[in-house]
Structures are given as C-alpha cells and as structure tokens.
Amino acid sequence: MSTPRDTLPEPLSGLPEPAVVELPPGRPWLALSELNRLIRQQGQARPLARAWVLDQLVHAIPLPIEEEKALMAAFLERRGISDDDHVPGWLKERGLVFDDLRILATQKRRLQRLVRCRWEDEVEVRFLQRKPELDQVVYSLLRVDSEDLAAELHHQIAEGEADFDALAPLHSEGPERHCRGQIGPLPLAAGHESMVSRLRRGRPGQLFEPFQAGESWVVLRLEQFLPAELNEPTRERMMGELFEEWLEQRARLLLEGQPLPPLDAMLALLQEDDSP
C-alpha cells in the first residue's frame, strides 16, 4: 500500500493529523480537518449532503434478488465484462468493491421504483400547476427601436405586402433576424411578459398590434399553440421534479442540523406495491 503524503496539518497538540481520507484508492491523502475546510471553502457542503441523502435512500430500497443479479450482469456486459472471473480485477482497477458494483448497477432502477410508488398519484395535480409553463408556442417576431417603423412593418404584413420571413433579415434587431423571424417551439412562459400575455390569449394566425417590450417595439404573430400533454415522458418528468424537491428538502434539513424524518413510510409503499 502507498504511504500518505508527508506534509499534514498540525493541530494545537503539535502532533500531525493522520491522513485518513483517500483520493486514489488505497492512498490516504487528506486529514479530516482538511476535508472539512475544503467542504466549507469550496462550497461542497450541499453536494455532499445530497449525495449522503441519496446514498441512504438507495441502500434502503429493496430489489428482488433475481432482478438485482440481472441488472448487475447487464451493467457489466455493457462494459465488456461477461465472465465472472474478470469481475474482481475490473473492480480492483477502479478501486471499487462488490457493494459499489451492486449500487452502481441498480441505483437507477431502485429510484424509479420508489419514485413511481411515492409520487405517481400526485402527477396530475403537479401537471395542472405546471401546465402554463409547459405549453409551447411558435410565433413570428420583429423587434425594432422605432414605434413608427413597427407600425409600418405591421401595416405591410397585415395588408399582405410583405411577411416576417422577408422583413426580419432587413429590420429586426434580435436573433430572429437569422431565422427569418420565426421563433419556437419554445415554452410559452419563456418570453417577455408583454409577449406572453398576448400569446396566451391569442389564436393561431393572429397578428397583434405593435407594442413595446423592454426597449424594443414588437410586431408579433402567433403561428401555433402547442398545449402540453400528460403523456408518459411528461409523467416521468413530473415525478422527477417531485422527487428532486423531496431530495433538496432533506439535504437542506441535514445542512441545518435538523433531524431527518424516517424513511419508513416511503419504504412501506414498496411493500404495498409488492403485495399480491
């Protein structure tokens, strides 16, 4: 085994602190006081808290032994390991032990199982809350610095004398000049507030009267309204957001030195799910 580095911090006792924290596997490199200092100074307390909460949760989520074995075999096969005799060497090269392999191969599945059991029933409420932010639009846009120019361009479009694709490269001051005036699909809520309010109540094909948004005068037409749908990818996204909020809340409690609520109630949902 390699020896730790020579220069280590000395506490008030005058005795050097032992290096106990490994960076390369098998090489103690940091003393605990150094680790605590780095966590504070480099802003790593929150990532470490999240990692600890996640590790605690993953280890607590059960998986049927056969499913666990299948996931581990698939994990190794994707890395070119199909012979069990090669596993110890592969682990040693990476400084891993067997439990590391077990968690790396099964963590995603464990979390999927818990997240679905815990938050699936809350998805519809979450979707309705988030829908205004998830709806998307396609619109045509001109941004100019003059009210008079905006009025003239609006008139040309309304009378069919010209359209956004011809006018944007000549007159528009925003990035839309490089895409012939058309923007999207983009989340409806991503635009300027004055644009969002019009697009939300508009109908496809509607050309709005020129208006001011920030320092620019805008000519705007709604092309398409694409309402968000509660399909499977959206369901997964909503459950992921709910889980992320739970994880952040638990990490925040840990950082504040508060006791963490037990996981028993969440884990009981898995037992109910396994019931015939």
Side-chain angles (χ1 to χ4, degrees):
M1 174 183 289
S2 302
T3 57
R5 76 181 205 265
D6 296 330
T7 305
L8 288 164
E10 293 188 6
L12 293 177
S13 65
L15 299 175
E17 288 187 66
V20 293
V21 179
E22 298 179 358
L23 295 181
R27 289 192 61 189
W29 182 253
L30 292 174
L32 287 178
S33 64
E34 290 180 301
L35 178 62
N36 285 328
R37 176 180 59 78
L38 288 171
I39 289 172
R40 292 193 307 271
Q41 293 180 357
Q42 301 302 321
Q44 295 303 303
R46 181 170 296 278
L48 182 60
R50 283 175 55 91
W52 188 90
V53 169
L54 191 60
D55 182 73
Q56 179 197 43
L57 178 63
V58 169
H59 276 86
I61 300 171
L63 269 188
I65 187 65
E66 292 305 318
E67 184 176 5
E68 186 175 281
K69 288 180 178 178
L71 288 168
M72 291 171 66
F75 179 87
L76 289 169
E77 187 173 351
R78 289 194 297 272
R79 287 153 182 80
I81 307 296
S82 55
D83 188 334
D84 289 347
D85 292 339
H86 295 159
V87 174
W90 186 86
L91 291 173
K92 184 177 180 180
E93 287 176 8
R94 290 155 179 78
L96 302 174
V97 297
F98 185 79
D99 189 60
D100 296 327
L101 169 61
R102 186 174 66 86
I103 295 302
L104 286 170
T106 64
Q107 173 170 296
K108 182 178 179 180
R109 172 61 185 133
R110 291 175 195 273
L111 291 175
Q112 285 175 338
R113 186 167 180 243
L114 179 69
V115 167
R116 186 166 290 276
C117 285
R118 169 62 182 84
W119 284 287
E120 187 172 28
D121 291 342
E122 299 180 22
V123 164
E124 291 189 13
V125 172
R126 176 72 172 202
F127 174 72
L128 292 175
Q129 292 172 341
R130 293 270 282 113
K131 189 176 184 302
E133 303 167 38
L134 299 174
D135 291 336
Q136 294 191 319
V137 288
V138 178
Y139 55 91
S140 293
L141 176 70
L142 298 173
R143 279 180 282 199
V144 297
D145 61 3
S146 163
E147 181 180 5
D148 291 340
L149 178 57
E152 172 58 27
L153 298 177
H154 177 273
H155 174 77
Q156 292 182 31
I157 295 170
E159 296 300 318
E161 298 172 5
D163 207 352
F164 285 87
D165 60 349
L167 296 175
L170 297 175
H171 300 286
S172 197
E173 299 175 342
E176 64 278 355
R177 69 182 301 160
H178 302 297
C179 52
R180 304 181 72 82
Q182 190 164 105
I183 305 292
L186 284 178
L188 176 58
H192 189 279
E193 182 180 351
S194 58
M195 291 173 53
V196 171
S197 63
R198 287 167 170 80
L199 292 170
R200 192 181 300 282
R201 66 174 187 265
R203 61 186 185 279
Q206 181 174 353
L207 179 66
F208 298 93
E209 292 293 326
F211 60 93
Q212 194 165 14
E215 297 181 358
S216 299
W217 281 89
V218 174
V219 181
L220 176 70
R221 182 173 68 203
L222 174 60
E223 306 293 352
Q224 287 181 282
F225 180 77
L226 306 170
E229 298 179 2
L230 187 54
N231 50 27
E232 191 57 30
T234 305
R235 297 184 73 86
E236 293 291 335
R237 178 178 174 180
M238 296 298 99
M239 286 187 286
E241 289 181 0
L242 289 163
F243 170 66
E244 180 66 23
E245 290 177 2
W246 176 89
L247 183 62
E248 274 295 315
Q249 181 184 37
R250 202 166 175 87
R252 185 168 59 252
L253 289 174
L254 189 62
L255 290 169
E256 293 171 353
Q258 300 295 323
L260 299 184
L263 297 171
D264 299 357
M266 291 181 65
L267 297 176
L269 295 174
L270 296 175
Q271 296 177 353
E272 295 173 9
D273 189 54
D274 289 336
S275 301

